[in-house]
Amino acid sequence: MTTTASSKSASSLGPIRISAYLSRLPSLTHTEFSTHWLLSHAPLVVPWALKFNVINYTQTHLNPDIQADFTGTMKMPLLQYDGLGQMSIGGSIEEFAMAFVHPYYREVIAKDEKRFLAVGTDVETEPVATEIKDRGWETGAIMTAGSAVDIIRDGEVKIEVSDAIWEEWRKWDTTAK
């Protein structure tokens, strides 16, 4: 998983937007990956994300058919990932970093990520750069094409999160006591 952020803290341009390019486990189909990420993983993330000042959480499910159409029509390369997760945070990167040491992240979210993500693997980017050069493209821009699903938008949950998940969250969230 690769993450990027626009700046160290929120600026006049707005909140920090963190993008994570995700690769699925090789044992999963794209559909299995996408289904798990949206229907199982996203609800687990919601209470944790809200606790740590995530104001927007968006998943872009990269569809191989859309990508093939885009590449064929636009004649431009696309990143070879299975999904793009984006979070806008209302605080600093330092504050958001604390979310990843929270026991709920380590014991619930991180364990679930191992069920569908190729965690800890870096996707090789050199072939894409070589393809850009070989095809004589003028741009160094690499784009993605897919369908975005808002999980959290403007601090409001946009998907169904079961009572059981909220109850599990309350067990881990020591500040709720």
Side-chain angles (χ1 to χ4, degrees), residues 52-152:
F52 289 98
N53 209 12
V54 172
I55 54 176
N56 295 317
Y57 170 31
T58 303
Q59 294 181 349
T60 302
H61 296 254
L62 303 180
N63 182 309
D65 295 331
I66 293 172
Q67 289 193 317
D69 288 347
F70 186 87
T71 302
T73 302
M74 299 296 291
K75 307 289 190 240
M76 297 178 82
L78 297 174
L79 292 172
Q80 297 303 306
Y81 292 96
D82 297 290
L84 171 63
Q86 295 183 306
M87 290 184 172
S88 296
I89 57 174
S92 70
I93 291 174
E94 290 81 8
E95 292 166 341
F96 186 61
M98 296 305 297
F100 296 92
V101 297
H102 193 282
Y104 182 84
Y105 176 81
R106 291 192 318 262
E107 297 298 324
V108 177
I109 296 173
K111 285 183 178 180
D112 185 60
E113 288 174 345
K114 292 177 182 175
R115 292 183 182 105
F116 73 106
L117 292 178
V119 177
T121 61
D122 291 325
V123 173
E124 181 60 55
T125 56
E126 185 58 33
V128 175
T130 302
E131 182 177 359
I132 290 170
K133 183 178 177 185
D134 289 349
R135 293 195 184 193
W137 286 320
E138 297 289 330
T139 180
I142 300 172
M143 298 152 53
T144 60
S147 303
V149 177
D150 288 334
I151 307 304
I152 300 171

